Amino acid sequence: MRIRIRVAAGVAVLAVFVTAVAACGGNAGETAKPAEETPARIVSLSPTATEMLFAIGAGDQVVAVDDQSNFPEEAPKTDLSAFKPNVEAIASYKPDLVVVSDAGGELADSLAKVKITTFSAPAATSLDDAYHQLRELGDITGHRAEAAKVVASMKQRLAAVAAAVPAGAKGATYYHELDPNYFSATSKTFIGSVYALLGLKNIADPADTAGGGYPQLSAEFIVHADPDVIFLADSKCCQQSAATVAARDGWAGIAAVRNGAVVALDDDIASRWGPRTVEFAEAVATSLTTARKAA
C-alpha cells in the first residue's frame, strides 16, 4: 500500500493511491484512508522540508536528510541525493515517511513497492504556499500546534519587517541574481513575493516572456534597467560580490553599484521557503535602509 500526500499551488491535495502487492492481496485501483500513525522515522530529501521539520519540533523523528540539507546543524546529514535518489539507500534507514520536494514520480512508485509513504512538498510560489506546507507537515508528524505557532510567528515578523521599510525605499527597482549567467526570479515566484511584500519592483518581470518565472536576462538588459539594488543569491556557490559585479563590463554605472547597494545574500536562505524566509526579508530590508542612507 502506498499513501502519497501532495501539496501544490497553495491548496491541500490529498491523493491516496494503493498499489497492488501480492502479499497484501489488494486490488489495483482501490482506495484507502490515510495512515493514522504518526511517523517515527522520517527521511527528508528536501533542504527546505528539513528546516521545516526541525522548526515545528519534529527533528527527533528525522533519521536522515539529503546531502544538501545543511540546516539546522543537528540535522542527520547523509550522502543521500535528492537529484539521483537511490531507493535501496533510502530504505536502509527504515523510514515510515520520506519527504520529497516534487511529486515523487518514479521514486514514489519505487518506495511504494517497499511500503514506504512519501510526502511531496514542491517549491512554494507564495508565502501562503509555505505556510500551508508547514501546517501540512505539522498535521502529518503530530506537531500541528507547533506548526501553527511557527506560521503565526513568521507572519508577525514579516509584517514587522515590511512595516519598517523606509517609505523612500518602497518602489525601488531591484535585480535578483541566481547565478553569474544572469538567471533571475520574477514577482510570480516565491522569491519575488518576498520582495513584493517589502514594496520593491522587479526588473526581471518584463523579460519573462515564457512565463516560467525564472528568465535568463542579458548584461545589456540589466544595465539598461539600471536597478536601484542588486541582490546576489550566488555569493556562496559562485563567489559573486559587490567587487565582482562592479568589475563587469559596463556595470560600474548602474545605480546599485554607484550607491553601494549590491547585497550578497546567503544562497541557501534566499532559495528556500521555510522559516528562515524571515531572515531573507530582514537582510533585504536592512540593505534598503543602508542604501538609502548612502544615496
Side-chain angles (χ1 to χ4, degrees):
M1 180 181 294
R2 166 165 61 106
I3 302 169
R4 185 166 67 206
I5 305 168
R6 296 179 178 176
V7 180
V11 180
V13 180
L14 179 61
V16 180
F17 300 90
V18 179
T19 301
V21 178
C24 298
N27 297 316
E30 69 178 305
T31 59
K33 292 181 180 180
E36 297 180 358
E37 296 82 5
T38 299
R41 297 182 63 81
I42 302 171
V43 169
S44 173
L45 300 180
S46 161
T48 297
T50 297
E51 294 192 19
M52 288 182 169
L53 288 165
F54 277 82
I56 64 175
D60 289 344
Q61 294 156 255
V62 179
V63 296
V65 300
D66 70 296
D67 57 0
Q68 299 301 306
S69 289
N70 54 10
F71 186 89
E73 187 175 341
E74 62 268 28
K77 188 175 181 180
T78 69
D79 59 359
L80 291 176
S81 172
F83 300 106
K84 295 182 179 180
N86 181 298
V87 174
E88 290 74 19
I90 295 169
S92 70
Y93 289 95
K94 303 187 185 322
D96 42 27
L97 177 68
V98 175
V99 183
V100 297
S101 60
D102 55 30
E106 294 182 4
L107 174 61
D109 293 336
S110 297
L111 290 172
K113 292 178 182 178
V114 290
K115 304 179 184 179
I116 296 176
T117 302
T118 59
F119 174 83
S120 177
T125 58
S126 68
L127 286 164
D128 283 342
D129 280 2
Y131 300 148
H132 183 74
Q133 285 188 14
L134 279 161
R135 294 192 189 99
E136 283 289 311
L137 285 172
D139 288 343
I140 293 166
T141 62
H143 295 275
R144 179 178 296 178
E146 294 95 324
K149 288 180 180 178
V150 171
V151 170
S153 175
M154 287 180 66
K155 288 183 175 181
Q156 181 179 27
R157 292 174 64 192
L158 285 170
V161 173
V165 173
K170 292 188 176 180
T173 58
Y174 75 92
Y175 160 56
H176 180 94
E177 182 168 288
L178 294 173
D179 70 13
N181 294 312
Y182 310 135
F183 276 96
S184 190
T186 68
S187 297
K188 69 187 296 183
T189 65
F190 178 80
I191 296 167
S193 72
V194 177
Y195 286 115
L197 179 69
L198 303 182
L200 302 186
K201 184 177 180 181
N202 196 331
I203 70 163
D205 288 351
D208 189 23
T209 55
Y214 297 95
Q216 182 178 22
L217 310 181
S218 66
E220 293 77 14
F221 178 92
I222 298 166
V223 171
H224 179 74
D226 193 25
D228 297 312
V229 192
I230 293 174
F231 295 100
L232 303 174
D234 53 359
S235 62
K236 290 168 61 177
C237 73
C238 313
Q239 294 76 52
Q240 296 303 297
S241 65
T244 63
V245 168
R248 296 174 184 174
D249 189 26
W251 287 52
I254 294 177
V257 178
R258 295 197 317 269
N259 298 325
V262 178
V263 184
L265 300 169
D266 182 298
D267 301 13
D268 295 331
I269 295 176
S271 65
R272 299 174 188 175
W273 55 96
R276 289 199 295 168
T277 295
V278 177
E279 295 180 32
F280 169 37
E282 289 173 341
V284 172
T286 298
S287 70
L288 293 176
T289 301
T290 303
R292 183 166 176 263
K293 290 179 179 179

